[in-house]
Amino acid sequence: MASPQERHVIFRRYLDAVGLHGMAGAEAAGLHATEWYALSLISLDGALTSGELATRTGLTTGATTRLIDRLERAGYVRRAADPSDRRKVVVEPVPDALTRIDQVVAPGRRKIADVLARYTPEQLDLLFDYFTHAAPAYREATEEIRKHTRG
């Protein structure tokens, strides 16, 4: 059994590997890390307003507009009228373009599928319970960091 210090090191190495994989994926797709993250948000959540995207990425509205412009020029997203309020514009993914992203992340998905195949269904339930609770905890911690950095 790993000591608390060993667990800390193992976890840090895991987080570093996930971050490095994200940076490599962004580079392979011709995107910057923030663009990669924004595209992930849009592809997971569907259409978002630029304000929602600004809030979720932590960017200013001007920086978000430029980010959307770059993603649109690259063919990953398009602007469309918000169906519930025609005065608003939403940013939505271009489905065919996301196929390129799937190709970029395919090696990582295969490798992680191999890792997950080692676990029993009960262990997988535990892992995914962790993922379910850890993701919002990290988002909250990110907001705390941003608040202190900007404050």
Side-chain angles (χ1 to χ4, degrees), residues 15 30 34 47 51 66 69 78 89 94 103 117 121 150:
L15 291 177
T34 305
R66 291 188 297 278
D69 290 344
R78 64 180 158 236
V89 172
V94 174
Q103 292 168 348
R150 293 180 184 152

Side-chain angles (χ1 to χ4, degrees), residues 21-37 39 66-67 69-76 97 100-101 103-105:
H21 180 264
M23 289 187 290
E27 183 180 336
L31 301 172
H32 296 285
T34 305
E35 296 163 347
W36 179 259
Y37 176 61
L39 184 58
R66 291 188 297 278
L67 176 139
D69 290 344
R70 290 189 303 271
L71 289 175
E72 194 172 40
R73 274 194 307 274
Y76 288 113
R100 290 183 282 164
I101 300 300
Q103 292 168 348
V104 166
V105 297

Side-chain angles (χ1 to χ4, degrees), residues 41-110:
L41 289 173
I42 294 165
S43 68
L44 286 171
D45 296 341
L48 296 172
T49 67
S50 60
E52 290 169 330
L53 200 52
T55 299
R56 305 266 306 269
T57 59
L59 296 174
T60 64
T61 55
T64 301
T65 298
R66 291 188 297 278
L67 176 139
I68 295 166
D69 290 344
R70 290 189 303 271
L71 289 175
E72 194 172 40
R73 274 194 307 274
Y76 288 113
V77 302
R78 64 180 158 236
R79 290 174 168 97
D82 185 335
S84 62
D85 183 349
R86 306 278 301 161
R87 296 169 298 175
K88 288 185 182 178
V89 172
V90 294
V91 181
E92 58 187 25
V94 174
D96 294 342
L98 297 181
T99 302
R100 290 183 282 164
I101 300 300
D102 287 339
Q103 292 168 348
V104 166
V105 297
R109 286 181 178 163
R110 282 193 305 273

